[in-house]
Amino acid sequence: MSQIEQMEYTVIKKSGHFEVREYPDTPVVLAETGPDGDYREAFRHLYAYITGANRQEIRLDMTAPVLQTEKEGQEFLAFVVPVMQQQMVPVPEDGSLTLDLFPGGLYGSVEFHGLAGERSRQVHLKSLVDWLDDSDFDVTGAPEILALYDPPYKLPFLRHNEILIPVRER
């Protein structure tokens, strides 16, 4: 089985399931869909894009995580374009998809397993913010980013998820 490419970062501080990471400032292209309101439908749009439903009919390698974030009260889902394919990013044919950039910099993160529903996200976000406060880091932005590493068909208790939030050192 081949290794799925993941976004690169450097760990600045770590304690248990918590980390402060530095993501490089080099642009990371995202194919983004939303605001759709339906996670499964949004995922289908992204999956179609990476399997060749784009203007150039290019298949993209699978990457992880899929990123979920909120903008102006609407949820968006994004696929990270593989590093080797960033120079020739295919143009989406689907009008619900756009290309965007992941902003590098410092992010606090917390890893958790299971379903990533609203209640679970809020509990883990609070624990992350508390840990950051005790670790001399301030949250600098919102909203948080939910990073989903596994496909929707994986058993929930085996799923690997993270919450990322921009931070700065005090």
Side-chain angles (χ1 to χ4, degrees):
M1 185 170 203
S2 65
Q3 183 71 19
I4 293 178
E5 181 181 319
Q6 296 185 16
M7 291 173 52
E8 291 185 17
Y9 59 84
T10 302
V11 176
I12 305 299
K13 182 175 181 120
K14 181 175 178 60
S15 176
H17 295 290
F18 301 101
E19 292 181 343
V20 173
R21 302 172 176 172
E22 184 168 17
Y23 286 87
D25 286 331
T26 52
V28 173
V29 179
L30 303 174
E32 186 174 71
T33 185
D36 204 332
D38 182 320
Y39 175 84
R40 290 177 193 257
E41 186 64 25
F43 190 82
R44 277 193 281 273
H45 287 278
L46 286 175
Y47 185 76
Y49 171 75
I50 68 174
T51 56
N54 54 66
R55 289 193 187 150
Q56 291 81 0
E57 297 180 353
I58 295 173
R59 291 182 63 92
L60 298 170
D61 296 331
M62 184 55 91
T63 62
V66 169
L67 305 174
Q68 185 176 332
T69 191
E70 187 178 296
K71 296 178 186 178
E72 300 173 9
Q74 302 283 340
E75 285 195 358
F76 288 77
L77 198 62
F79 166 78
V80 180
V81 175
V83 171
M84 295 303 289
Q85 295 173 307
Q86 296 252 337
Q87 300 302 322
M88 303 274 296
V89 178
V91 176
E93 226 170 36
D94 184 335
S96 71
L97 294 176
T98 58
L99 298 176
D100 201 356
L101 297 175
F102 179 83
L106 288 178
Y107 286 83
S109 75
V110 60
E111 175 186 26
F112 64 100
H113 298 277
L115 294 174
E118 185 63 29
R119 181 169 161 20
S120 177
R121 292 190 332 228
Q122 291 306 315
V123 166
H124 289 94
L125 177 61
K126 181 178 181 344
S127 68
L128 173 59
V129 170
D130 291 346
W131 179 78
L132 289 166
D133 190 43
D134 291 342
S135 300
D136 294 326
F137 287 89
D138 291 322
V139 174
T140 61
E144 71 274 2
I145 300 166
L146 178 62
L148 305 162
Y149 284 84
D150 298 302
Y153 55 80
K154 191 166 191 174
L155 292 172
F157 69 92
L158 295 174
R159 293 183 191 173
H160 169 204
N161 310 300
E162 295 174 346
I163 293 176
L164 305 171
I165 192 158
V167 299
R168 71 166 182 251
E169 196 165 3
R170 275 190 215 126

